[in-house]
Amino acid sequence: MAAVRVPRCQRQEDRALKGVLDLPGDLLRLREWLTECAVTEVTMEATGVYWRPVWHVLEDEGAFELRLVNAST
């Protein structure tokens, strides 16, 4: 699940939340959606290894400041 907290997202239906699957095409669409919404900072919770594919796809773009956090601290 991805959430965006910026009012600049062009597509009204995508403004708040977007379901995300772990398929390469889905991750590329996530990156595109975040770019369309003018997102520059992305924070992810470290949940096992599930964050890694998302991190790598967003890191490749170079347009996002990425943070990995641990919710238990």
Side-chain angles (χ1 to χ4, degrees):
M1 183 62 64
V4 173
R5 294 189 60 195
V6 293
R8 296 181 297 249
C9 190
Q10 298 300 313
R11 296 185 308 208
Q12 181 70 26
E13 70 275 7
D14 290 342
R15 196 170 270 182
L17 296 173
K18 187 170 190 73
V20 178
L21 299 174
D22 197 16
L23 303 173
D26 295 321
L27 296 178
L28 294 175
R29 282 188 289 280
L30 171 66
R31 182 175 71 189
E32 178 182 308
W33 178 66
L34 293 173
T35 301
E36 287 175 8
C37 292
V39 170
T40 58
E41 300 175 21
V42 175
T43 302
M44 292 179 269
E45 182 179 357
T47 53
V49 297
Y50 299 107
W51 61 273
R52 290 181 181 184
V54 179
W55 182 281
H56 293 300
V57 167
L58 297 181
E59 183 179 47
D60 284 346
E61 181 71 15
F64 307 105
E65 180 181 330
L66 301 175
R67 287 186 203 92
L68 187 63
V69 298
N70 187 339
S72 66
T73 57

